[in-house]
């Protein structure tokens, strides 16, 4: 068995509705409500502010990476 996990970063559409015009915060909140907290489909946890401490932690623990986006 190869464990697979799909992590969603954003939701751009819901059915026929185009969500790209919504603010990123609103789309992320919607995505968090749509996907369960655990399982093979997950919403990516996110934070706002200075990401440098998180980046340092990821490097020190040799984790896979960090995704950075402007709001």
């Amino acid at each position: 068995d190869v464990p697979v996990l799909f992590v969603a970063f954003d939701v751009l559409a819901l059915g026929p509705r185009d969500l790209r015009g919504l603010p990123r915060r609103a789309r992320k909140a919607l995505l968090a409500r749509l996907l369960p907290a655990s399982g093979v489909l997950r919403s990516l946890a996110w934070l706002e502010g200075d990401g440098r401490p998180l980046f340092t932690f990821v490097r020190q623990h040799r984790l896979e990476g960090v995704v950075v986006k402007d709001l």
Side-chain angles (χ1 to χ4, degrees):
D1 287 330
V2 177
V4 176
L5 180 68
F6 181 87
V7 180
F9 298 90
D10 203 346
V11 58
L12 303 178
L14 186 56
R17 184 167 178 214
D18 184 354
L19 303 176
R20 292 176 294 172
L22 293 176
R24 188 182 315 269
R25 283 187 185 110
R27 293 193 317 263
K28 286 193 162 291
L30 176 61
L31 184 62
R33 290 194 313 263
L34 291 171
L35 295 179
S38 62
V40 295
L41 296 175
R42 297 184 189 180
S43 174
L44 181 70
W46 62 291
L47 61 92
E48 292 182 38
D50 186 358
R52 288 176 288 197
L54 175 61
F55 183 71
T56 300
F57 177 86
V58 167
R59 288 187 69 196
Q60 288 173 346
H61 294 278
R62 303 184 73 184
L63 299 176
E64 194 167 332
V66 175
V67 174
V68 178
K69 291 193 173 218
D70 287 329
L71 283 176

